Amino acid sequence: MGGDHGPGVTVPASLTVLAAHPGLELHLVGNEAEIRAAGGAHERLHIVHTTERVEMTDKPSVALRNKRGSSMRMAIDLVKEGRVSACVSAGNTGALMAIARFVLKTLPGIDRPAICATLPGSRGATHVLDLGANVESSSEELFRFAVMGSVLASAVENKENPSVGLLNVGEEEIKGNDRVKQTALLLEQSGLNYCGFVEGNDIFSGEYDVIVCDGFVGNVALKASEGVARMLAHFAEQEFRRNLWTKLSALVARPALRGLKRRADPRQYNGASLLGLRGIVIKSHGSADAVSYARAIEEAIVEVSKAVPERISSLLEHVLVKQQAV
């Protein structure tokens, strides 16, 4: 029921994914009348009715304490009860994180979950975390983010030893604050494929499978990149419409522009993972359309099939034992 479009997007997306996965069953949690009005009828589509919902303006504390019958809370409860394998939501991010952490709890050894998203790069996709769940993070928490991101990249990209970079203000060892330097020391002793410090311009290079940072830095970097992308698209549109000749050149360049749009289409990268929980929760962008939301559901399917939480717990235990032995 959340996001900018509600059932008008989630229902068509669900039907698309059901058609692609014959063995899949989906539970739509929300107002049954609105769901059915949006076309929510399928033998493998189950409706869990509730009229209460978390609004985008609700504070996380309000959603957690006062809206136990909301569609978001009930969906996460289904994960807790084992009735479903994952939850996907386009709703209030803060509320989703608060409710998921309260209901599902964190994995052993993890104090704070992190938001991890896949971003496009010139040489391949990069998994970046944290993107806003934790404004401040200790070196130990950043280290655990690296473990979680490495597991996700390994599972989703089928890479045995994903490369991990630590976001910093420079690549040199002397750069950065004490927290980042201490994180680097932990990563060097972890057994992960740690490649050292990386800078902001490396995020979209595709040279690293995982890039780690705290939520404040990650969220600013993400929003800044989204703003730059919109600005460039706006400038390009202005230039191609400037006069008759530029309009003609736009016709000639149309195939290349279509290819560029396809490669950088943000809809193909929708679906951020709330890593570190005892269950799988995927956050879709609030403005997602049906194509984009279907991609978030596909992300959940992959993480379920790869048992991501269990793999995170196993790898974390392994690296912590190795650290203690050093």
Side-chain angles (χ1 to χ4, degrees), residues 17-326:
V17 178
L18 284 172
H21 298 272
L24 179 69
E25 294 193 13
L26 294 178
H27 292 67
L28 295 187
V29 186
N31 188 298
E32 183 172 5
E34 293 184 44
I35 292 172
R36 293 200 180 280
H42 192 283
E43 60 181 2
R44 289 183 282 118
L45 188 65
H46 312 286
I47 299 175
V48 181
H49 176 67
T50 180
T51 58
E52 188 174 31
R53 68 187 72 181
V54 174
E55 305 295 342
M56 300 301 283
T57 55
D58 284 343
K59 292 182 178 180
S61 58
V62 172
L64 178 61
R65 297 171 186 170
N66 302 334
K67 293 194 172 183
R68 297 182 181 181
S70 67
S71 53
M72 182 181 290
R73 174 62 178 268
M74 292 175 65
I76 295 175
D77 282 341
L78 291 177
V79 179
K80 174 69 174 180
E81 296 163 4
R83 293 174 58 190
V84 301
S85 302
C87 169
V88 182
S89 173
N92 184 316
T93 303
L96 183 68
M97 177 61 82
I99 295 172
R101 184 177 180 182
F102 176 78
V103 174
L104 299 177
K105 312 302 181 188
T106 56
L107 292 167
I110 294 176
D111 296 324
R112 297 184 179 184
I115 298 175
C116 182
T118 306
L119 302 181
S122 56
R123 300 182 184 181
T126 298
H127 300 266
V128 183
L129 73 164
D130 178 26
L131 293 177
N134 308 281
V135 175
E136 294 183 2
S137 302
S138 67
S139 57
E140 289 78 11
E141 288 164 347
L142 290 173
F143 164 72
R144 284 161 173 74
F145 294 169
V147 173
M148 295 191 293
S150 183
V151 168
L152 184 64
S154 175
V156 174
E157 307 296 339
N158 294 313
K159 294 185 176 181
E160 291 187 6
N161 199 20
S163 57
V164 178
L166 183 59
L167 193 61
N168 197 6
V169 294
E171 296 181 356
E172 299 83 1
E173 292 183 2
I174 62 172
K175 295 289 184 68
N177 54 35
D178 291 339
R179 180 183 54 180
V180 171
K181 293 177 181 178
Q182 182 60 36
T183 304
L185 293 176
L186 294 173
L187 289 171
E188 288 169 359
Q189 301 169 0
S190 67
L192 298 177
N193 185 14
Y194 175 58
C195 300
F197 293 142
V198 300
E199 298 182 82
N201 54 7
D202 293 311
I203 294 176
F204 296 96
S205 68
E207 295 183 9
Y208 304 92
D209 298 311
V210 180
I211 292 181
V212 178
C213 58
D214 65 44
F216 185 92
V217 172
N219 193 265
V220 170
L222 177 65
K223 297 300 174 60
S225 64
E226 291 176 348
V228 170
R230 286 193 295 268
M231 179 191 70
L232 292 176
H234 176 69
F235 284 172
E237 184 178 4
Q238 283 186 323
E239 289 300 312
F240 280 129
R241 292 184 176 183
R242 190 153 45 91
N243 54 50
L244 178 60
W245 300 113
T246 59
K247 291 179 181 178
L248 291 174
S249 66
L251 292 175
V252 175
R254 182 173 293 177
L257 292 173
R258 284 177 177 172
L260 175 63
K261 183 178 180 181
R262 182 174 59 254
R263 292 181 63 185
D265 188 354
R267 298 182 303 176
Q268 302 304 318
Y269 298 91
N270 186 44
S273 306
L274 274 57
L275 296 180
L277 299 168
R278 297 175 186 257
I280 295 170
V281 179
I282 304 297
K283 174 64 175 72
S284 166
H285 202 293
S287 62
D289 62 9
V291 172
S292 186
Y293 197 84
R295 177 65 190 83
I297 301 175
E298 293 281 0
E299 176 69 23
I301 294 171
V302 171
E303 293 192 23
V304 169
S305 67
K306 300 290 186 175
V308 168
E310 292 80 3
R311 291 175 65 167
I312 288 175
S313 185
S314 177
L315 180 59
L316 182 59
E317 181 181 4
H318 174 75
V319 297
L320 289 178
V321 169
K322 184 174 182 178
Q323 276 188 334
Q324 292 172 357
V326 174

